[in-house]
Coordinates of all heavy atoms in Angstrom, one line a residue:
M23 N -4.2 -9.7 6.2 CA -3.3 -9.2 5.1 C -2.2 -8.4 5.7 O -2.5 -7.5 6.5 CB -4.2 -8.4 4.1 CG -3.4 -7.9 3.0 SD -4.3 -6.9 1.9 CE -5.1 -8.1 0.9
D24 N -1.0 -8.6 5.2 CA 0.1 -7.8 5.7 C 0.5 -6.8 4.7 O 1.2 -7.0 3.7 CB 1.3 -8.8 5.9 CG 2.5 -8.1 6.6 OD1 2.3 -7.0 7.2 OD2 3.6 -8.6 6.5
I25 N 0.0 -5.6 4.9 CA 0.2 -4.4 4.0 C 1.7 -4.0 4.0 O 2.2 -3.7 3.0 CB -0.6 -3.2 4.4 CG1 -2.1 -3.6 4.4 CG2 -0.4 -2.0 3.5 CD1 -2.6 -4.1 3.0
E26 N 2.4 -4.1 5.1 CA 3.8 -3.7 5.2 C 4.6 -4.6 4.2 O 5.5 -4.1 3.5 CB 4.3 -3.9 6.6 CG 4.2 -2.7 7.4 CD 4.9 -2.8 8.8 OE1 6.0 -3.4 8.8 OE2 4.3 -2.4 9.7
A27 N 4.3 -5.9 4.2 CA 5.0 -6.8 3.3 C 4.9 -6.4 1.8 O 5.8 -6.5 1.0 CB 4.6 -8.2 3.5
K28 N 3.7 -5.9 1.5 CA 3.5 -5.5 0.1 C 4.2 -4.2 -0.2 O 4.6 -3.9 -1.4 CB 2.0 -5.2 -0.2 CG 1.2 -6.5 -0.2 CD -0.2 -6.3 -0.7 CE -0.9 -7.7 -0.7 NZ -1.8 -7.8 -1.7
A29 N 4.5 -3.3 0.8 CA 5.2 -2.1 0.5 C 6.7 -2.2 0.5 O 7.4 -1.4 0.0 CB 4.7 -1.0 1.6
E30 N 7.2 -3.3 1.1 CA 8.6 -3.5 1.2 C 9.2 -3.6 -0.2 O 8.6 -4.2 -1.1 CB 9.0 -4.8 2.0 CG 8.8 -4.7 3.4 CD 9.1 -5.9 4.2 OE1 9.6 -6.9 3.6 OE2 8.7 -6.0 5.3
G31 N 10.4 -3.1 -0.4 CA 11.0 -3.2 -1.7 C 10.6 -2.2 -2.7 O 11.1 -2.1 -3.8
V32 N 9.6 -1.4 -2.4 CA 9.1 -0.4 -3.3 C 10.1 0.8 -3.2 O 10.3 1.3 -2.2 CB 7.7 0.1 -3.0 CG1 7.3 1.2 -3.9 CG2 6.7 -1.1 -3.1
Q33 N 10.7 1.2 -4.4 CA 11.6 2.3 -4.4 C 10.9 3.5 -4.7 O 10.0 3.6 -5.6 CB 12.7 2.0 -5.5 CG 13.5 0.8 -5.3 CD 14.4 0.9 -4.1 OE1 15.0 2.0 -3.9 NE2 14.6 -0.1 -3.3
G34 N 11.2 4.6 -4.1 CA 10.6 5.9 -4.4 C 9.2 6.0 -3.8 O 8.8 5.3 -3.0
Q35 N 8.5 7.0 -4.4 CA 7.2 7.3 -3.9 C 6.1 6.5 -4.7 O 6.3 6.2 -5.9 CB 6.9 8.8 -4.2 CG 6.1 9.5 -3.2 CD 6.1 11.0 -3.5 OE1 6.5 11.4 -4.6 NE2 5.6 11.7 -2.6
L36 N 5.1 6.0 -3.9 CA 4.0 5.3 -4.5 C 3.1 6.3 -5.2 O 2.9 7.4 -4.7 CB 3.3 4.5 -3.4 CG 4.0 3.3 -2.8 CD1 3.1 2.8 -1.7 CD2 4.2 2.3 -3.8
A37 N 2.5 5.8 -6.3 CA 1.5 6.7 -6.9 C 0.3 6.7 -6.0 O 0.0 5.8 -5.2 CB 1.1 6.0 -8.3
I38 N -0.5 7.8 -6.1 CA -1.6 8.0 -5.3 C -2.6 6.9 -5.4 O -3.2 6.4 -4.4 CB -2.3 9.4 -5.5 CG1 -3.4 9.7 -4.5 CG2 -3.0 9.4 -6.9 CD1 -2.9 10.1 -3.2
G39 N -2.8 6.3 -6.6 CA -3.7 5.2 -6.8 C -3.3 4.0 -6.0 O -4.1 3.3 -5.4
Q40 N -2.0 3.7 -6.0 CA -1.4 2.6 -5.3 C -1.6 2.8 -3.8 O -2.0 1.9 -3.1 CB 0.1 2.4 -5.6 CG 0.3 1.9 -7.0 CD 1.8 2.0 -7.3 OE1 2.5 3.0 -7.1 NE2 2.4 0.9 -7.7
T41 N -1.3 4.0 -3.3 CA -1.5 4.3 -1.9 C -2.9 4.1 -1.4 O -3.2 3.5 -0.4 CB -1.0 5.7 -1.6 OG1 0.4 5.9 -2.1 CG2 -1.0 6.0 -0.1
L42 N -3.8 4.6 -2.2 CA -5.3 4.5 -1.9 C -5.7 3.0 -1.8 O -6.5 2.6 -1.0 CB -6.1 5.3 -2.9 CG -6.0 6.8 -2.7 CD1 -6.8 7.5 -3.8 CD2 -6.4 7.3 -1.4
K43 N -5.2 2.2 -2.8 CA -5.6 0.8 -2.8 C -5.0 0.1 -1.6 O -5.7 -0.7 -1.0 CB -5.1 0.1 -4.1 CG -5.9 0.4 -5.3 CD -5.4 -0.3 -6.5 CE -6.3 0.1 -7.7 NZ -5.9 -0.6 -8.9
M44 N -3.8 0.4 -1.2 CA -3.2 -0.2 0.0 C -4.0 0.3 1.3 O -4.2 -0.6 2.1 CB -1.7 0.2 0.1 CG -0.9 -0.5 -0.9 SD 0.8 0.1 -0.9 CE 1.4 -0.4 0.7
L45 N -4.3 1.5 1.3 CA -5.1 2.0 2.5 C -6.5 1.4 2.6 O -6.9 1.0 3.6 CB -5.2 3.5 2.4 CG -6.0 4.2 3.6 CD1 -5.3 3.9 4.9 CD2 -6.1 5.7 3.3
Q46 N -7.1 1.2 1.4 CA -8.4 0.6 1.4 C -8.3 -0.9 1.9 O -9.1 -1.4 2.7 CB -9.0 0.6 0.0 CG -10.4 0.0 -0.1 CD -10.9 0.1 -1.5 OE1 -10.2 0.4 -2.5 NE2 -12.2 -0.3 -1.7
A47 N -7.3 -1.6 1.4 CA -7.1 -3.0 1.9 C -6.8 -3.1 3.4 O -7.4 -4.0 4.0 CB -6.0 -3.6 1.1
L48 N -6.1 -2.1 3.9 CA -5.8 -2.1 5.3 C -7.0 -1.9 6.1 O -7.3 -2.6 7.1 CB -4.7 -1.0 5.6 CG -4.4 -0.8 7.1 CD1 -3.7 -2.0 7.6 CD2 -3.5 0.5 7.2
I49 N -7.8 -0.9 5.7 CA -9.1 -0.6 6.5 C -10.0 -1.7 6.4 O -10.7 -2.1 7.4 CB -9.7 0.7 5.9 CG1 -8.8 1.9 6.3 CG2 -11.1 0.9 6.5 CD1 -9.1 3.2 5.7
T50 N -10.2 -2.3 5.2 CA -11.1 -3.5 5.0 C -10.7 -4.6 5.9 O -11.5 -5.2 6.6 CB -11.1 -3.9 3.5 OG1 -11.6 -2.8 2.7 CG2 -12.0 -5.1 3.3

């Protein structure tokens, strides 16, 4: 899974919930 690709184009700061989900997916 390419986490960077999912974060591209996101403007501003991610909500903590979004950040945690992305981190969980990366670790998994």
Side-chain angles (χ1 to χ4, degrees):
M23 175 182 284
D24 185 20
I25 300 302
E26 270 185 44
K28 291 190 176 211
E30 285 178 14
V32 175
Q33 298 291 322
Q35 215 172 12
L36 290 175
I38 188 73
Q40 293 172 306
T41 304
L42 290 175
K43 284 181 183 182
M44 289 174 64
L45 181 60
Q46 183 180 8
L48 176 66
I49 291 170
T50 299

